[in-house]
Amino acid sequence: MIGFLLRRLGQALLLLLIVSVIGFAILHLAPGGPLSQFAAGGDMTQADLDRIAEQLGLNRPLPVQYAEWLWRMLSGDWGRSYRDQQPVLHVIGSHIGATLELMLTSTLLAMLLGAWVGILGAIKRYSIFDSLATIGAMIALSIPTFWFGLVIIYVFSVGLGWLPAGNRYTVGDGSFLNQLHHLIGPCIVLALVSTAVWSRYMRSSMLDVINQDFVRTARAKGVPERSILLRHVLRNALLPMITITGLHVPTLLSGALVTETVFTWPGMGRLFLDSISYRDYPVVMGILMFSAILVLLGSLIADLLYGVADPRIAGSH
Amino acid sequence: MSMAEPMLAPAPGFWNSPGMRRFRRHRLAVFGAATILLLTLACIIGPMLLPYTDTFIDIRSRFAPPFSGPHILGTDPLGRDILARLLMAGRISLAVGFSAMAIAMAIGIVVGLVAGFYEGALGAALMRLVDAMLCFPSIFLLLAISALIQPSVPSIVLLIAMTSWMEVARVVEAQIRSLKTREFVQASISFGASSKRTMFRVLLPNAVAPIVVAATLNVAHAILAESYISFLGFGIQPPTPSWGNMLESAQSYLTSAPWLAIIPGAAITLAVTSFNFIGDGLRDALDARQD
């Protein structure tokens, strides 16, 4: 188990290193590189730009700059925002809460709904419900998230007036119920794709287990059908879902960015979009690296949890 | 469909091959293929048949709702005909989808072939690159790079291709690795075929099935990606219409003119769903183990 843990951790660190090279390359392969922010104003002479490059150390060889950039990232100095000179980690930190709130609640919703649809689909395989769920999942995966958001706002905010059209809470009313009320719309929108993914994997995972020998044995022993499904099948079918959830982080982050934009939700995705419009490179780079780390963490934690839940996995490596 | 099938003469050929029959049995895939065909034809021919062009401004009928007058699907805030814009936008969005797919497939196939064929250090390095690229959530990567370049149709195509070849590389690599141990590949190598010949003439033709499926799903992904970045304002720039940027300002008019949002979004959903249905049908049809 320890060996498995260390090996997995080593792989993640290696990936993180490659990720950092790609991140650095994107920043510096841009036409004009990080200097383009200053050049875009148009009121600086080449001499001015040279002096800024000198001051920021941008005229040194790229490997040297990369090493310094990496060292700073590792020691927690992610640079300062061009907009307000706030440290990048601080800026991200003040927005990540709203994003995590959205991601966690919608994941919870998607798990419950998706598992229910998937289990029912597997039990009543090829029934009308199963076919409709299959088609529904396919359509859910094809609907642009922002458009689904607009439809939800049109129906539930403009039409029925049940839900607020955006923001995290009403200004001046920060009560829990008010926040919950604002969370419903974006949570549903973000959960759409995850629910579709969960229901598909849950269904096939259930079908894999239902056909195994120990289930037949339980049935032969006369264990009640309900107990077979809950105690034997579901428990084992849920195991692979740990991995699915871990691998779903990038999709979830992408979805969160779009959902936050539509619902003016003050999270990391919206911050990213604002920073791009402002050409606030340190924040853009910071969020890019931060989201990649979240993705890596997601798959790492999923792997470790899976190793704990299913000892065969850790043993076989 | 199912009633007409027994009457067909069992003549050999493309249309009656077992794979084609399996595809036709998959009703959703047939529906998807028909929809894409109709949609493509409508986008190519449609604009020539309409009384309005996509840029004609009918200032007296701004915000005309659909099905209410000469403008079949209504007009936008400038008084431009939405149907004309939808079809012109379709040309752009579908073209972006297909060309981004073609480039992404080319990159993904080469990377996957090389990584699968030369396992060792080169293969491992390439696959770690794939893993690392997949660590970035796709929209974040797309937006970060789109902020650095001048947005134009070709640059958006390249951008989408550069951020969506990784899944293909994974599929191809896995396929090549399993094919490599088969006798016919071993035979080709032992006959002295060059690596290039083995890769492109022996391995690649035998990996076509998963590649075709991946390509179909890739078009769906590319159309969605274009709509996302255009909706967010970093993709195809007006006045060139695309399904994504038609939605860009729609949110402001959600109360007064909801059709501005509903129509282009429905077009995207229809196109993407159709490609996903086709991909699903192809997966079933090309999986020979089923029969």
Side-chain angles (χ1 to χ4, degrees):
Chain A
M1 184 65 208
I2 298 291
F4 166 72
L5 211 151
L6 285 177
R7 195 163 34 242
R8 198 60 194 72
L9 209 63
Q11 286 170 357
L13 285 177
L14 177 70
L15 262 188
L16 194 58
L17 196 69
I18 305 175
V19 161
S20 76
V21 173
I22 298 175
F24 183 81
I26 290 172
L27 182 67
H28 284 263
L29 292 182
L35 268 185
S36 64
Q37 149 77 15
F38 302 101
D43 50 1
M44 293 207 187
T45 64
Q46 191 55 44
D48 289 332
L49 290 176
D50 287 345
R51 204 175 58 248
I52 294 174
E54 171 79 39
Q55 281 172 357
L56 295 177
L58 292 170
N59 52 358
R60 294 170 302 165
L62 279 182
V64 177
Q65 289 190 47
Y66 169 72
E68 196 194 301
W69 177 77
L70 187 64
W71 176 247
R72 284 209 183 151
M73 294 281 283
L74 290 176
S75 54
D77 174 12
W78 289 31
R80 278 170 185 277
S81 161
Y82 286 159
R83 236 185 317 187
D84 48 15
Q85 288 296 312
Q86 292 280 319
V88 169
L89 273 181
H90 180 83
V91 178
I92 294 177
S94 60
H95 286 80
I96 188 69
T99 299
L100 286 181
E101 177 187 320
L102 194 57
M103 281 170 65
L104 291 178
T105 48
S106 75
T107 304
L108 200 68
L109 179 68
M111 277 179 175
L112 293 174
L113 207 62
W116 178 72
V117 173
I119 293 168
L120 220 58
I123 296 174
K124 300 183 176 168
R125 197 179 176 187
Y126 301 135
S127 65
I128 294 180
F129 175 84
D130 188 30
S131 316
L132 284 181
T134 306
I135 299 174
M138 200 86 101
I139 295 174
L141 288 173
S142 309
I143 295 180
T145 307
F146 61 87
W147 185 61
F148 186 55
L150 293 180
V151 171
I152 291 284
I153 292 178
Y154 179 62
V155 174
F156 292 102
S157 307
V158 178
L160 299 169
W162 290 354
L163 296 175
N167 293 324
R168 205 175 169 193
Y169 48 82
T170 315
V171 177
D173 180 8
S175 68
F176 177 71
L177 272 181
N178 185 273
Q179 290 199 24
L180 202 64
H181 194 207
H182 282 79
L183 184 60
I184 298 173
C187 180
I188 292 175
V189 170
L190 186 54
L192 179 76
V193 170
S194 320
T195 308
V197 171
W198 255 75
S199 71
R200 296 324 291 154
Y201 281 105
M202 192 71 222
R203 177 180 182 274
S204 65
S205 182
M206 284 288 283
L207 289 175
D208 279 350
V209 180
I210 279 179
N211 294 321
Q212 282 184 17
D213 289 343
F214 72 89
V215 176
R216 207 164 26 159
T217 310
R219 212 166 262 150
K221 280 196 310 187
V223 178
E225 192 63 28
R226 190 181 170 77
S227 162
I228 292 179
L229 285 174
L230 289 179
R231 304 265 296 279
H232 294 75
V233 180
L234 185 58
R235 264 182 72 174
N236 286 286
L238 276 173
L239 268 185
M241 303 312 292
I242 300 176
T243 314
I244 304 302
T245 313
L247 295 179
H248 195 56
V249 178
T251 318
L252 206 55
L253 276 167
S254 287
L257 184 146
V258 178
T259 311
E260 286 172 10
T261 311
V262 174
F263 285 91
T264 55
W265 190 261
M268 196 174 73
R270 252 182 69 92
L271 171 71
F272 187 72
L273 210 65
D274 290 346
S275 307
I276 283 181
S277 313
Y278 197 83
R279 295 190 162 260
D280 192 347
Y281 279 113
V283 178
V284 170
M285 280 313 301
I287 296 179
L288 203 56
M289 294 302 297
F290 190 82
S291 53
I293 292 172
L294 277 187
V295 171
L296 265 170
L297 264 181
S299 74
L300 187 66
I301 292 174
D303 267 17
L304 296 183
L305 280 182
Y306 200 95
V308 173
D310 188 346
R312 282 171 305 177
I313 300 301
S316 68
H317 275 261
Chain B
M1 264 293 323
S2 52
M3 282 172 66
E5 220 161 18
M7 287 190 245
L8 288 169
F14 177 70
W15 292 99
N16 283 311
S17 62
M20 200 57 212
R21 264 186 287 143
R22 274 198 299 268
F23 184 78
R24 277 182 305 176
R25 261 205 313 264
H26 204 300
R27 280 186 223 159
L28 290 174
V30 174
F31 164 82
T35 308
I36 292 302
L37 200 68
L38 278 177
L39 214 52
T40 313
L41 279 178
C43 290
I44 294 174
I45 303 169
M48 302 176 213
L49 304 177
L50 285 176
Y52 309 100
T53 63
D54 62 307
T55 49
F56 175 72
I57 293 176
D58 188 355
I59 200 73
R60 283 185 304 175
S61 48
R62 294 164 66 223
F63 292 112
F67 312 116
S68 66
H71 300 279
I72 300 169
L73 290 181
T75 55
D76 70 0
L78 291 175
R80 293 174 298 189
D81 187 65
I82 290 187
L83 183 58
R85 280 177 60 72
L86 192 72
L87 295 176
M88 287 308 278
R91 287 187 181 179
I92 301 284
S93 292
L94 290 172
V96 168
F98 280 113
S99 22
M101 175 274 282
I103 301 173
M105 293 310 291
I107 305 174
I109 288 172
V110 170
V111 171
L113 259 182
V114 172
F117 189 74
Y118 302 102
E119 282 170 63
L122 178 61
L126 283 174
M127 291 323 282
R128 289 299 83 72
L129 178 70
V130 169
D131 293 344
M133 287 285 287
L134 284 172
C135 281
F136 297 107
S138 55
I139 307 259
F140 285 74
L141 202 55
L142 273 172
L143 288 174
I145 307 177
S146 72
L148 307 171
I149 55 171
Q150 283 298 327
S152 68
V153 175
S155 71
I156 296 296
V157 167
L158 263 181
L159 187 60
I160 294 175
M162 270 167 52
T163 51
S164 60
W165 55 271
M166 293 86 75
E167 299 284 355
V168 183
R170 273 197 177 164
V171 169
V172 174
E173 193 250 9
Q175 187 74 7
I176 297 301
R177 261 149 90 86
S178 80
L179 281 175
K180 239 177 72 176
T181 54
R182 302 265 292 273
E183 286 92 348
F184 70 96
V185 181
Q186 297 301 323
S188 151
I189 296 171
S190 62
F191 281 150
S194 68
S195 299
K196 203 170 131 196
R197 189 182 165 81
T198 312
M199 275 196 277
F200 287 94
R201 288 295 177 82
V202 181
L203 286 167
L204 191 56
N206 285 286
V208 162
I211 289 176
V212 169
V213 175
T216 316
L217 300 179
N218 204 285
V219 180
H221 170 88
I223 293 176
L224 265 187
E226 184 277 317
S227 79
Y228 279 123
I229 51 173
S230 296
F231 169 73
L232 295 171
F234 294 92
I236 312 285
Q237 298 298 318
T240 309
S242 85
W243 285 337
N245 75 18
M246 281 180 77
L247 279 155
E248 199 186 334
S249 57
Q251 192 167 4
S252 340
Y253 300 107
L254 209 51
T255 320
S256 54
W259 61 89
L260 290 178
I262 291 168
I263 293 170
I268 302 171
T269 307
L270 189 65
V272 176
T273 311
S274 298
F275 278 112
N276 279 333
F277 281 153
I278 299 174
D280 204 45
L282 284 174
R283 191 176 2 232
D284 289 349
L286 296 171
D287 191 355
R289 281 169 301 178
Q290 282 202 335
D291 275 3

